[in-house]
Amino acid sequence: TIYCNQMYLGHGAYGVEAASRLYFNKSNTQLTLEEAALIAGIFQTPERQSPFLDMKRAIGRRNVVLQRMADERYIAQDVADAAKQKPIVTRGQPGQPPGIAPFFVEEIRKHLERQYGAKVLYESGLSVTTTLDVKLQEAANRALEHGLRTLDKRHGYRKPKRNVVAEGHAIEAFKDERWGRPIVPGDVVPAVVMTAPASGAARVRVGSYQADLARDGYTWTRRSSAAELFKPGDLIDVAVTKLDEPTHTATVTLDQTPQVEGALVAIDNRTGQIRAMVGGWSFGRSKFNRAVQAYRQLGSTFKPVVYTAAIDRGFTPTSLLLDAPVSYSAGGGQTYAPQNYDHTFEGSITLRHAIEESRNIPAVKMMDTLGAKHVLAYAK
């Protein structure tokens, strides 16, 4: 029961009751046999078997469920056969995207379940107040998305994984779930490739909008033509920079969904309250919360310990530190010469700037100045 009431069933719906209202605009107690079988089938891969996304796949999966019901003697074979012939008639609409802080909400849910038990959590109608700051959370979402997209592009372009023509769709008739929600400049959205010539701009479609993807829109790929990147029917990501409503045209640049992951958590130092949390690229792609479940990279995480010890010894954020080459004897005739990540030196900088930019050499020098034993005492 808990599984059926809590598992994800596509488009932001969790549990069979939410799915019933999403797909059929009715309570689950009012579902027909074939409607119930459809929802049961969606459990396997909700993002691919939703009737809003792929009706053919949804019908095929529904029929598998109906046949299994007959095989297990929950229904008669003739009842199953009759239900298989019925079309899927959806009456709902794809829901809004998941809330702005799904990783945060899941942490709250797990905490409440540990604290009060599943029965109280799911049956007692709790009212929960959290510390989330909506504006900070939205800023955190944007910052992590921008950072991961930028980092991912530096590792090169990957060929599209999906081609709608190969799936049996017509390019002109294909619809993506994302196109059913508002699109504004700045959004990164799916686009279906209409043409991909060896010279000149590619033509793509984003819902009712069409756009030319010129070479300056994909220079980061280091490819000379659209034909080297994709073919008609490929589903790609584009960043929308401009929309012209009267002509239904758009200006776009090529993007791609990052494979790299990241995390962010913002804590109010005064109260310890969590104001924003992002646990990864997408809660739908992976529910593993890297903000609280992943092991931290030790290197730069240790710098605040060093500077905390420094502040308590009389240093201030405006104290000047020297970011310049330095070397230490490492014993055995070897030397240790730390480097900054960018292999440059900035000279005299403030302590605040050193920690903001995570400069390695000032941190090493500060540790040497304070003494390793003193800093390690703070760490413990």
Side-chain angles (χ1 to χ4, degrees), residues 141-185:
N141 291 342
R142 289 193 300 270
L144 192 70
E145 178 180 353
H146 175 76
L148 292 182
R149 286 191 182 279
T150 302
L151 173 61
D152 191 71
K153 286 178 183 176
R154 292 205 295 267
H155 291 269
Y157 179 70
R158 295 181 297 276
K159 291 282 188 179
K161 292 184 177 180
R162 187 178 176 192
N163 185 284
V164 302
V165 173
E167 295 176 1
H169 301 284
I171 293 177
E172 295 75 14
F174 176 76
K175 294 181 180 179
D176 187 274
E177 176 210 358
R178 176 63 182 86
W179 299 344
R181 304 197 300 270
I183 297 173
V184 297

Side-chain angles (χ1 to χ4, degrees), residues 83-325:
K84 290 177 187 178
Q85 300 305 313
K86 295 182 180 179
I88 293 175
V89 182
T90 57
R91 296 181 179 86
Q93 294 292 331
Q96 293 300 310
I100 62 170
F103 290 99
F104 179 88
V105 171
E106 177 62 10
E107 284 303 305
I108 295 293
R109 188 198 66 77
K110 290 192 294 186
H111 169 76
L112 293 173
E113 189 168 0
R114 287 193 302 266
Q115 188 81 12
Y116 301 106
K119 185 174 180 64
V120 171
L121 174 60
Y122 298 123
E123 298 179 15
S124 298
L126 301 182
S127 177
V128 181
T129 302
T130 77
T131 58
L132 189 80
D133 183 306
V134 172
K135 290 185 177 179
L136 283 180
Q137 181 65 45
E138 290 173 340
N141 291 342
R142 289 193 300 270
L144 192 70
E145 178 180 353
H146 175 76
L148 292 182
R149 286 191 182 279
T150 302
L151 173 61
D152 191 71
K153 286 178 183 176
R154 292 205 295 267
H155 291 269
Y157 179 70
R158 295 181 297 276
K159 291 282 188 179
K161 292 184 177 180
R162 187 178 176 192
N163 185 284
V164 302
V165 173
E167 295 176 1
H169 301 284
I171 293 177
E172 295 75 14
F174 176 76
K175 294 181 180 179
D176 187 274
E177 176 210 358
R178 176 63 182 86
W179 299 344
R181 304 197 300 270
I183 297 173
V184 297
D187 286 348
V188 177
V189 296
V192 61
V193 178
M194 302 178 73
T195 63
S199 62
R203 191 75 168 171
V204 303
R205 183 171 68 84
V206 180
S208 61
Y209 298 94
Q210 292 195 13
D212 287 329
L213 181 55
R215 186 175 178 180
D216 59 359
Y218 56 81
T219 52
W220 62 270
T221 67
R222 298 182 180 86
R223 308 291 171 81
S224 58
S225 73
E228 295 181 52
L229 295 169
F230 30 67
K231 58 183 181 294
D234 280 347
L235 199 64
I236 62 175
D237 283 348
V238 296
V240 178
T241 57
K242 185 180 179 181
L243 291 172
D244 190 322
E245 292 290 347
T247 62
H248 277 270
T249 59
T251 304
V252 300
T253 58
L254 182 64
D255 218 297
Q256 68 182 3
T257 300
Q259 290 183 331
V260 66
E261 290 283 0
L264 183 153
V265 60
I267 302 175
D268 186 320
N269 286 337
R270 183 176 57 85
T271 63
Q273 295 176 340
I274 294 177
R275 295 302 194 186
M277 177 187 288
V278 190
W281 166 255
S282 163
F283 191 71
R285 183 166 84 178
S286 168
K287 294 173 178 58
F288 182 72
N289 188 341
R290 291 154 189 82
V292 296
Q293 293 177 299
Y295 290 111
R296 308 263 73 81
Q297 284 189 339
L298 186 58
S300 292
T301 307
F302 194 74
K303 289 172 185 171
V305 178
V306 176
Y307 290 118
T308 297
I311 293 291
D312 279 2
R313 290 287 292 270
F315 287 87
T316 74
T318 57
S319 296
L320 294 178
L321 310 179
L322 187 60
D323 182 9

